[in-house]
Amino acid sequence: MSATATSQHDVLALAVRAREASHGLALATRATKDAALVAMADALLARAAEILAANAEDVARAEAGGTPSNIIDRLRLTDARLADMAEGVRGVAGLADPVGEVVRGSTLANGLELRQVRVPFGVVGMIYEARPNVTADAAGICLKSGNAVLLRGSSSAASSNAAIVAVLRDAVATAGVDPEVIQLVPADSHDTVKALMRARGYVDVLIPRGGAGLISSVVEESTVPVIETGVGNCHVYVDAAADLDKAVAIVLNAKTQRTSVCNAAESLLVHADIADLFVPRIVAALQQAGVRIHGDEVFAAQDGVEPATDEDYATEYLALEISARVVASVDEAIAHIRRFSSHHTEAIVTEDQRAARLFTAAVDSAAVLVNASTRFTDGGEFGFGAEIGISTQKLHARGPMGLPEMTSTKYIVTGDGHVR
Amino acid sequence: MSATATSQHDVLALAVRAREASHGLALATRATKDAALVAMADALLARAAEILAANAEDVARAEAGGTPSNIIDRLRLTDARLADMAEGVRGVAGLADPVGEVVRGSTLANGLELRQVRVPFGVVGMIYEARPNVTADAAGICLKSGNAVLLRGSSSAASSNAAIVAVLRDAVATAGVDPEVIQLVPADSHDTVKALMRARGYVDVLIPRGGAGLISSVVEESTVPVIETGVGNCHVYVDAAADLDKAVAIVLNAKTQRTSVCNAAESLLVHADIADLFVPRIVAALQQAGVRIHGDEVFAAQDGVEPATDEDYATEYLALEISARVVASVDEAIAHIRRFSSHHTEAIVTEDQRAARLFTAAVDSAAVLVNASTRFTDGGEFGFGAEIGISTQKLHARGPMGLPEMTSTKYIVTGDGHVR
C-alpha cells in the first residue's frame, strides 16, 4: 500500500506498456510461448519460499483485520497449492495454440482467397477477488493466447500477487518474451478498477471474476467491452418421465458436491405427476446431506421445509441451501427458469426424448444438460484444459471459456491485383 | 411526431413484447422463417404505393427543412429501390439457417455428449440513420437468425420506417410468425435511443449503424452490449516489391470506386525505394480522377499536393480526398497504421512473400488484404449473402457480419445420470 494511491494515468501507462509488448507476443511462435509457460511453472516452484513469505504477510494482515476464516482459507497458499498452480500453467503449454487457427476459408468466385484466422485480442484486463491462484492461471492463459494482461487482484492478496507477478515476469524474460506482457495493476484503491473500466482503446476486453456485486458493477460501468462471468442460479428440473434414482443422484451431486461454485444447483423443479413419490424422497436425501430447503406448498408440507418466496427462487445460495417447487409441465418449468435463471446452467432429468428436446431447445442458458449434474459446466470437465471463467452472456463467448475464447479473428484476403 | 415523446417505459414495453415473441421465433423451423421472408418480400412489392407515399412525406419534410440534396437522395425510395429491398429480403430466405448449427461437438471420456450449438441472441436493437432500406434489411436478417428486433431509425425517415414496418409485420403474420418480433421504436426524441442503451436485460445486443458520432456515443453510453460497426480509416501500403500497375489500379479503385463507404481507402503509404517512380505516377492518376491529396514532403513536392498534418492521417474523408506518405520500410508502414488506423481494412501491394506475411500478421485490423482493393471488405463480396454491418471491434464478430454473427451459442450436454 503506497501513501499516494495509483492514478488513472498510472494505470493507462501500464496499459500502454502492455500494448507495446503485445505486438511482439502476437507474433511469437507456439514454441516460444510454451517455453515461457514452462519457465513460469518452474519458477513458481523454484521461488516458492518467496511467494509463501509474501502470502504469509497477506494472511497475517487478514487475520489481524478479522477476516472470516473461509475467506482466509481462499487467500492462503501452501506448497501443495503452489504446486497445483505450477501444474496448471505447465498444462497450458500442452494445449493447442489458438492463434493462427483458420476458422473458415474459401476461394471466392473472382479468385480472391479468403481466410478467417484467430488472432489475440491484444490487451486483456482481469479484475478478480481473493484467490491468488487466478494471477498465475490468467497470466498463463493470456500468454498462450498471445494477449498481454493487466492483473488487478484483490487488495487482500496484494503481497502474494506482487510476488507471483515478479516471479512470472522474470520467468518469461528467460524465454525471450518481453516481461511487460504481464502487468500487475496496484490494488491500493478502487480507483484502479475504475481506471481499467475507463481504458477504452487501451484495454481490448475486461474480464471480471468474483462475486455478483463486482461483476455487475463492472458490467454497468465499463466502457471497455466486458465478458460477464460466473453468477449461477442453476436449476435441476425433474420431469414426469425421470428415472428417480438418477434424479436423486443428480440433485444431490449438483447441490452438495461443492456448494461455493457457480455451477452448483440452487433450485429444484419437480413435475407434479411424480411429486407424491419424489418430493418426500428428495427432501429426506437433501436433509440428510444437511441441505436447508425453501419450498412451495407441496414441499413445505414436509417436515423441516421452510416456505419459499420469489426471493428464494432468485437467490444463488452458494451454500447447503436450495429452493424447490412443483410445476405442472415442462412448459411451466421452462417459464419458471426464464423468470429466475441467471442463464448459466440448467438440467433436466428425464427418459422422455420429447421433453428433453423441448427443454434443451427452449431454455436459453449457457449450458443445458440432460440427465447430468450441473457441476459438469466447467472448462476442465468439457476438456478445454484451461478455463479463464464461465461466460453467462451472449456476445463473443458463452459458457466455459478456454483458449480459443481468448482470441478475436481477422480476415486475410489474398488477390493478384483484384479491384471492383 | 407525437405531442408527448415516447418514454423509457414505452421502449421497455416494446422490448418486453419483443422478448415474449422471441421465444417462439427461436424455436421456429427454417421453413417457417423462409415463408415469412418470402411474404415480407412480396408485401414490400404489393404495397409499394403505401410505402412510397409515406416516403414522399419524409422527403417533403426534409426538403422543407433545407436538408442537403445528398442526404435527401439517401432518404428517397423509388420503385427500383423498393424492388432491391424486396430482393434483399428474398435473398435471405435462400441462405442457410444459422440456428442449430453445431459449432463443435465431442463425446467426453466419461461418455457425456457435448455439443455447442448456435442459438439466437433473443432481442436485437438496431440504431441507424437516414436510409430506410436498413429497416427491411435488418428485419430480414434478424428474423432468419431467430432474433426479435427493435428498429430505431432516423426521425427523418419516420414515416417511411413506420410504413415499412407495418407492411413487414402484416406479412410475417400471414406466415404464422408473431408480428411482435418486429418492433418500430419511435424516433420522436433522442430519449428512445437512450432508453435502448439503458435496456440491459431487455435487449441482448445493440448494433449502431451510421456516422462516427452516433457509433461512438452508443459505444460510450450503452450498458447493453454493443457491436461497434463501420468507421474505416483504411490504408493502402505500396511496398518496395509492388507491381506498380497493380498498385495504381488498386489505389484508384480503393479511393474512387465509391467514396462514401467505410471500406474506401483514406490513406496511402509508399515505400521509399519506389517513391521516385511511383509518387509522380499515382499523384497524376489520383488528380486525374479528381482526388485531392494531402501528402508528406515527398508527395507535397508534386504540383497540387497539399501538406498533410497528423489530423489528415487520422481522417476518414469519405470523399475524393486522400492522405499520403512515404515510409522507409514495411515496419514503418505497420507502425503508421497502428497509430492512425481505425482497424477496419488495410491492404498491402507487394510481390514479396516475406513482406506480405509480415504485414498480414502484424496489422491488427478486421481485414488485411494482399494485392486487392480495400473495397472487397464486404459481406456481399465475401459471399455471406447478407450483411448487417461491418464490425471494427474484437469481441464476438469482426469484419463483415452475416447470419452466423447474429447468433450466440449454447452447450447441450447429454448424459445418462452422470454425476461428479
Side-chain angles (χ1 to χ4, degrees):
Chain A
M1 307 247 174
S2 62
T4 38
T6 312
S7 70
Q8 167 150 35
H9 180 266
D10 298 330
V11 173
L12 292 185
L14 295 178
V16 167
R17 276 150 62 186
R19 170 77 63 198
E20 282 300 314
S22 77
H23 298 316
L25 183 60
L27 300 181
T29 60
R30 174 174 174 177
T32 298
K33 293 189 287 189
D34 288 354
L37 288 161
V38 169
M40 287 161 74
D42 290 345
L44 287 170
L45 298 176
R47 293 170 64 180
E50 210 175 304
I51 296 169
L52 293 176
N55 182 249
E57 288 174 27
D58 287 332
V59 169
R61 206 169 54 237
E63 284 173 340
T67 303
S69 62
N70 64 325
I71 305 282
I72 290 182
D73 178 58
R74 289 163 67 176
L75 178 60
R76 183 176 283 119
L77 290 176
T78 62
D79 279 318
R81 285 181 176 183
L82 261 184
D84 283 351
M85 207 188 284
E87 280 324 288
V89 173
R90 201 181 303 278
V92 175
L95 300 175
D97 189 344
V99 176
E101 187 197 339
V102 178
V103 176
R104 67 179 144 183
S106 61
T107 301
L108 304 179
N110 58 11
L112 276 180
E113 292 170 54
L114 183 71
R115 280 179 299 145
Q116 185 184 20
V117 178
R118 285 200 190 283
V119 296
F121 287 127
V123 179
V124 172
M126 293 286 306
I127 301 175
Y128 53 102
E129 289 173 343
R131 298 176 196 273
N133 66 307
V134 175
T135 306
D137 284 358
I141 290 173
C142 287
L143 190 130
K144 183 70 177 248
S145 54
N147 294 296
V149 66
L150 300 172
L151 297 160
R152 204 303 189 171
S154 149
S155 61
S156 65
S159 301
S160 313
N161 289 338
I164 293 167
V165 166
V167 167
L168 298 180
R169 285 172 58 107
D170 290 350
V172 301
T174 66
V177 169
D178 186 342
E180 302 286 358
V181 298
I182 303 174
Q183 299 285 350
L184 183 70
V185 176
D188 53 359
S189 119
H190 185 67
D191 288 351
T192 61
V193 171
K194 285 199 178 152
L196 283 174
M197 296 194 296
R198 293 278 168 269
R200 192 175 180 93
Y202 293 84
V203 176
D204 294 298
V205 55
L206 269 189
I207 304 178
R209 272 185 65 171
L214 168 71
I215 290 164
S216 72
S217 87
V218 174
V219 161
E220 288 286 331
E221 291 174 40
S222 179
T223 58
V224 175
V226 173
I227 296 181
E228 195 176 346
T229 65
V231 176
N233 183 18
C234 303
H235 294 73
V236 178
Y237 164 61
V238 181
D239 185 49
D243 174 319
L244 298 191
D245 293 336
K246 291 179 193 168
V248 171
I250 287 170
V251 171
L252 278 179
N253 182 263
K255 179 66 261 180
T256 69
Q257 196 244 355
R258 198 165 163 207
T259 56
S260 63
V261 289
C262 58
N263 59 15
E266 307 291 359
S267 200
L268 169 64
L269 302 173
V270 174
H271 193 287
D273 288 359
I274 54 156
D276 280 356
L277 217 56
F278 188 68
V279 169
R281 190 170 161 194
I282 194 67
V283 165
L286 285 166
Q287 286 176 340
Q288 198 177 352
V291 178
R292 189 173 155 197
I293 305 169
H294 307 263
D296 69 352
E297 320 77 69
V298 180
F299 274 90
Q302 305 288 314
D303 273 356
V305 174
E306 299 162 50
T309 61
D310 276 359
E311 205 187 317
D312 286 310
Y313 294 129
T315 298
E316 185 188 20
Y317 295 108
L318 299 173
L320 286 172
E321 212 166 338
I322 196 167
S323 64
R325 190 181 162 188
V326 171
V327 292
S329 63
V330 188
D331 287 321
E332 200 178 304
I334 292 166
H336 178 99
I337 288 168
R338 262 184 203 145
R339 180 162 169 213
F340 291 106
S341 169
S342 63
H343 308 291
H344 186 298
T345 297
E346 331 297 338
I348 181 173
V349 186
T350 190
E351 302 298 315
D352 174 2
Q353 178 64 14
R354 200 201 59 87
R357 200 171 132 97
L358 176 58
F359 189 86
T360 54
V363 169
D364 184 28
S365 295
V368 186
L369 298 102
V370 180
N371 295 330
S373 168
T374 55
R375 292 277 294 117
F376 284 107
T377 303
D378 173 88
E381 293 294 324
F382 279 12
F384 295 174
E387 179 192 282
I388 196 91
I390 297 179
S391 163
T392 53
Q393 58 164 32
K394 294 182 184 175
L395 270 196
H396 187 71
R398 201 175 186 206
M401 296 174 61
L403 291 172
E405 284 72 26
M406 293 300 287
T407 63
S408 183
T409 61
K410 72 179 168 197
Y411 286 97
I412 297 177
V413 185
T414 307
D416 187 34
H418 283 65
V419 294
R420 283 178 72 179
Chain B
M1 307 251 175
S2 63
T4 39
T6 311
S7 70
Q8 168 150 36
H9 181 266
D10 297 332
V11 173
L12 292 185
L14 295 178
V16 167
R17 276 150 64 185
R19 170 77 63 198
E20 282 299 313
S22 77
H23 298 316
L25 183 59
L27 301 180
T29 60
R30 173 172 177 179
T32 298
K33 294 189 287 189
D34 288 353
L37 288 161
V38 169
M40 287 161 73
D42 289 345
L44 286 170
L45 298 176
R47 293 170 64 177
E50 211 174 303
I51 296 170
L52 293 176
N55 182 249
E57 288 172 28
D58 287 332
V59 169
R61 206 171 54 239
E63 284 172 341
T67 304
S69 61
N70 63 326
I71 305 281
I72 290 183
D73 178 58
R74 289 163 67 176
L75 177 61
R76 183 176 282 117
L77 291 176
T78 60
D79 278 318
R81 286 180 176 182
L82 260 185
D84 283 351
M85 208 190 282
E87 280 324 287
V89 173
R90 200 181 303 278
V92 174
L95 300 175
D97 189 343
V99 176
E101 187 197 340
V102 179
V103 176
R104 68 179 142 182
S106 61
T107 301
L108 304 179
N110 58 10
L112 276 180
E113 292 170 55
L114 183 71
R115 282 180 297 144
Q116 186 184 18
V117 178
R118 285 199 190 283
V119 295
F121 287 126
V123 179
V124 172
M126 294 285 306
I127 301 175
Y128 52 101
E129 289 174 341
R131 297 176 198 272
N133 66 305
V134 174
T135 305
D137 284 358
I141 290 172
C142 287
L143 189 130
K144 182 70 177 246
S145 54
N147 294 295
V149 65
L150 300 172
L151 297 159
R152 205 300 190 175
S154 149
S155 60
S156 65
S159 300
S160 312
N161 289 337
I164 292 167
V165 166
V167 166
L168 297 180
R169 285 171 57 108
D170 289 351
V172 302
T174 66
V177 169
D178 186 343
E180 301 287 356
V181 300
I182 304 173
Q183 299 285 351
L184 183 71
V185 177
D188 52 359
S189 120
H190 185 66
D191 288 350
T192 60
V193 172
K194 284 198 178 152
L196 282 173
M197 296 194 297
R198 293 278 168 268
R200 191 173 181 94
Y202 294 83
V203 176
D204 294 298
V205 55
L206 270 189
I207 305 177
R209 272 184 65 170
L214 168 71
I215 290 165
S216 73
S217 88
V218 174
V219 161
E220 288 286 331
E221 291 173 38
S222 179
T223 58
V224 175
V226 173
I227 297 181
E228 194 176 346
T229 65
V231 176
N233 184 17
C234 303
H235 295 74
V236 177
Y237 164 61
V238 180
D239 185 51
D243 175 319
L244 299 192
D245 293 336
K246 291 180 193 168
V248 170
I250 287 170
V251 171
L252 278 180
N253 183 262
K255 179 66 260 182
T256 69
Q257 195 244 355
R258 198 165 162 206
T259 56
S260 63
V261 289
C262 57
N263 60 15
E266 306 293 0
S267 199
L268 168 64
L269 302 173
V270 173
H271 193 288
D273 289 359
I274 54 156
D276 280 357
L277 217 54
F278 187 68
V279 169
R281 193 172 157 192
I282 194 68
V283 165
L286 284 168
Q287 287 176 338
Q288 198 177 352
V291 178
R292 189 172 154 197
I293 305 169
H294 307 263
D296 69 351
E297 321 76 69
V298 180
F299 274 90
Q302 304 287 313
D303 274 356
V305 174
E306 299 162 51
T309 61
D310 275 359
E311 206 188 315
D312 285 311
Y313 294 129
T315 298
E316 186 189 20
Y317 294 109
L318 299 173
L320 285 173
E321 212 166 337
I322 197 167
S323 64
R325 190 179 161 190
V326 170
V327 291
S329 62
V330 189
D331 287 321
E332 199 177 305
I334 292 167
H336 178 98
I337 288 167
R338 264 187 200 140
R339 182 164 168 211
F340 292 106
S341 169
S342 63
H343 309 291
H344 186 300
T345 297
E346 330 298 338
I348 181 174
V349 185
T350 190
E351 301 298 315
D352 174 2
Q353 178 64 12
R354 199 199 62 84
R357 199 171 132 96
L358 175 59
F359 189 86
T360 54
V363 169
D364 184 27
S365 295
V368 186
L369 299 104
V370 181
N371 294 330
S373 168
T374 55
R375 291 278 294 117
F376 284 107
T377 303
D378 173 87
E381 293 295 325
F382 279 12
F384 295 174
E387 179 191 284
I388 196 91
I390 297 178
S391 163
T392 52
Q393 58 166 31
K394 294 182 184 175
L395 271 196
H396 189 71
R398 200 174 188 207
M401 296 174 61
L403 290 172
E405 285 72 25
M406 293 300 285
T407 63
S408 183
T409 61
K410 73 179 168 199
Y411 286 97
I412 297 178
V413 185
T414 307
D416 187 31
H418 284 65
V419 294
R420 282 178 71 177

